[in-house]
Amino acid sequence: DAKTTQPNSMESNEEEPVHLPCNHSTISGTDYIHWYRQLPSQGPEYVIHGLTSNVNNRMASLAIAEDRKSSTLILHRATLRDAAVYYCILRGTYSGGGADGLTFGKGTHLIIQP
Amino acid sequence: GAVVSQHPSRVICKSGTSVKIECRSLDFQATTMFWYRQFPKKSLMLMATSNEGSKATYEQGVEKDKFLINHASLTLSTLTVTSAHPEDSSFYICSARDYPGRNEQFFGPGTRLTVL
């Protein structure tokens, strides 16, 4: 799997936007960019994914660079409940056979200040 | 979204005993489930892929005889840690997709195993 690079930690204030960067310079043309987050002592939670175009959902937005070598997860208005470790993960096109687990990096620990 | 549960949420056992952890998909059928392990302040590591009706596929370095996986139905996979030792103490997390190839993967809440 192609590698991703994220800052170890970031800090933001409550009710302000947060931009979480991810570098993936070795991404292949068929790799999807996924974001998951993990709150303390819980299992990860899907946030968003994309391939080439920017994506929006109720949780966040995903901005993908034109060359796809980097992306940014955007939380439009952070709350204390958004404090978590955010993982940027690349996943290739599913080719069958069931082998489809995710490879987690170290992620970014997001700290939200009240 | 689809819900995945795990039982128990927390277990403490003595060294040398075996512990079974259940992973259930509550509102969907999962032909494939995944087992991860997470040590304190570390990231999740994929241990194995659990396939309904067939043998599990283990990641390199994971002992299949120590971590027994059974995926007997489309909604249940179990992980048994045999002859547990203190170094097996970890946070065990399962996940599933509601259909093969789906981008979103649903994770259980995790099971905290402490081996004394």
Side-chain angles (χ1 to χ4, degrees):
Chain A
D1 293 330
K3 184 180 170 61
T4 62
T5 304
Q6 300 177 251
N8 288 334
S9 65
M10 288 185 65
E11 200 166 311
S12 182
N13 295 319
E14 197 176 9
E15 298 188 3
E16 290 186 357
V18 180
H19 291 236
L20 297 165
C22 180
N23 287 319
H24 29 78
S25 58
T26 60
I27 190 171
S28 74
T30 57
D31 283 338
Y32 285 80
I33 302 159
H34 291 249
W35 284 82
Y36 284 78
R37 71 180 186 181
Q38 185 178 24
L39 279 65
S41 299
Q42 295 187 29
E45 173 188 28
Y46 167 84
V47 177
I48 200 166
H49 78 274
L51 184 61
T52 56
S53 303
N54 294 343
V55 185
N56 299 297
N57 67 19
R58 62 175 180 81
M59 288 182 70
S61 295
L62 176 60
I64 302 173
E66 199 168 327
D67 63 4
R68 299 208 330 123
K69 294 186 176 183
S70 66
S71 60
T72 302
L73 179 70
I74 302 167
L75 306 180
H76 295 287
R77 195 162 170 264
T79 69
L80 295 177
R81 289 180 296 178
D82 291 320
V85 179
Y86 286 77
Y87 296 99
C88 171
I89 300 169
L90 301 184
R91 174 175 172 260
T93 302
Y94 180 65
S95 57
D100 198 23
L102 296 175
T103 300
F104 286 79
K106 295 182 179 180
T108 295
H109 184 197
L110 177 63
I111 300 164
I112 304 296
Q113 297 289 356
Chain B
V3 179
V4 175
S5 71
Q6 284 184 240
H7 177 79
S9 59
R10 186 181 297 267
V11 58
I12 301 172
C13 70
K14 293 182 179 180
S15 186
T17 60
S18 294
V19 175
K20 181 185 284 189
I21 302 170
E22 293 185 347
C23 176
R24 292 182 185 273
S25 56
L26 296 186
D27 49 3
F28 67 98
Q29 294 182 331
T31 55
T32 303
M33 292 182 173
F34 305 92
W35 287 96
Y36 297 81
R37 179 169 54 180
Q38 185 175 31
F39 292 107
K41 300 193 183 301
K42 298 292 186 182
S43 191
L44 282 80
M45 295 293 293
L46 179 66
M47 298 176 66
T49 301
S50 169
N51 301 298
E52 189 268 336
S54 65
K55 291 183 179 180
T57 304
Y58 291 81
E59 295 299 303
Q60 192 172 7
V62 178
E63 301 174 56
K64 61 180 173 65
D65 294 330
K66 180 168 182 61
F67 298 99
L68 301 178
I69 291 173
N70 186 302
H71 195 150
S73 77
L74 288 173
T75 59
L76 173 64
S77 174
T78 60
L79 169 69
T80 301
V81 183
T82 62
S83 187
H85 291 282
E87 56 266 31
D88 298 322
S89 298
S90 189
F91 194 45
Y92 291 86
I93 307 168
C94 71
S95 72
R97 297 187 194 276
D98 52 3
Y99 60 84
R102 191 204 209 319
N103 276 295
E104 185 173 351
Q105 196 168 122
F106 303 101
F107 285 82
T111 296
R112 176 79 58 193
L113 171 63
T114 302
V115 186
L116 303 176

mmCIF file of all heavy atoms in Angstrom, chain A residues 3 25 50 70 74 82 97-98 108:
data_model
loop_
_atom_site.group_PDB
_atom_site.id
_atom_site.type_symbol
_atom_site.label_atom_id
_atom_site.label_comp_id
_atom_site.label_asym_id
_atom_site.label_seq_id
_atom_site.Cartn_x
_atom_site.Cartn_y
_atom_site.Cartn_z
ATOM 1 N N LYS A 3 2.186 4.883 0.938
ATOM 2 C CA LYS A 3 2.334 5.431 2.278
ATOM 3 C C LYS A 3 1.723 6.824 2.362
ATOM 4 O O LYS A 3 1.723 7.571 1.377
ATOM 5 C CB LYS A 3 3.831 5.504 2.582
ATOM 6 C CG LYS A 3 4.190 5.969 3.966
ATOM 7 C CD LYS A 3 5.704 5.992 4.112
ATOM 8 C CE LYS A 3 6.145 6.687 5.400
ATOM 9 N NZ LYS A 3 5.642 6.014 6.586
ATOM 10 N N SER A 25 2.476 11.088 -1.785
ATOM 11 C CA SER A 25 3.139 11.365 -3.061
ATOM 12 C C SER A 25 3.270 10.130 -3.948
ATOM 13 O O SER A 25 3.482 10.255 -5.153
ATOM 14 C CB SER A 25 4.525 11.974 -2.807
ATOM 15 O OG SER A 25 5.304 11.086 -2.023
ATOM 16 N N GLY A 50 -12.547 9.819 -1.085
ATOM 17 C CA GLY A 50 -12.633 10.410 -2.418
ATOM 18 C C GLY A 50 -11.578 9.834 -3.330
ATOM 19 O O GLY A 50 -10.634 9.181 -2.888
ATOM 20 N N SER A 70 -1.554 14.996 -2.448
ATOM 21 C CA SER A 70 -1.892 15.434 -1.094
ATOM 22 C C SER A 70 -3.400 15.663 -1.013
ATOM 23 O O SER A 70 -4.075 15.810 -2.043
ATOM 24 C CB SER A 70 -1.144 16.719 -0.727
ATOM 25 O OG SER A 70 -1.581 17.786 -1.543
ATOM 26 N N ILE A 74 -11.267 18.662 5.996
ATOM 27 C CA ILE A 74 -11.708 19.935 6.558
ATOM 28 C C ILE A 74 -12.910 19.701 7.468
ATOM 29 O O ILE A 74 -13.937 19.167 7.028
ATOM 30 C CB ILE A 74 -12.099 20.919 5.438
ATOM 31 C CG1 ILE A 74 -10.900 21.146 4.502
ATOM 32 C CG2 ILE A 74 -12.569 22.262 6.046
ATOM 33 C CD1 ILE A 74 -11.253 21.830 3.202
ATOM 34 N N ASP A 82 -14.938 16.458 18.398
ATOM 35 C CA ASP A 82 -14.098 16.132 17.241
ATOM 36 C C ASP A 82 -12.662 15.798 17.643
ATOM 37 O O ASP A 82 -11.846 15.451 16.785
ATOM 38 C CB ASP A 82 -14.080 17.296 16.248
ATOM 39 C CG ASP A 82 -15.423 17.495 15.563
ATOM 40 O OD1 ASP A 82 -16.066 16.480 15.218
ATOM 41 O OD2 ASP A 82 -15.819 18.660 15.383
ATOM 42 N N GLY A 97 -11.649 -11.482 -3.572
ATOM 43 C CA GLY A 97 -10.861 -12.377 -2.740
ATOM 44 C C GLY A 97 -10.949 -12.073 -1.263
ATOM 45 O O GLY A 97 -10.428 -12.800 -0.430
ATOM 46 N N GLY A 98 -11.623 -10.990 -0.889
ATOM 47 C CA GLY A 98 -11.844 -10.698 0.522
ATOM 48 C C GLY A 98 -10.715 -9.977 1.213
ATOM 49 O O GLY A 98 -10.909 -9.406 2.276
ATOM 50 N N THR A 108 -3.089 11.781 12.854
ATOM 51 C CA THR A 108 -2.906 13.095 13.487
ATOM 52 C C THR A 108 -3.801 13.180 14.705
ATOM 53 O O THR A 108 -5.017 12.988 14.607
ATOM 54 C CB THR A 108 -3.282 14.230 12.518
ATOM 55 O OG1 THR A 108 -2.385 14.235 11.415
ATOM 56 C CG2 THR A 108 -3.196 15.587 13.234
#
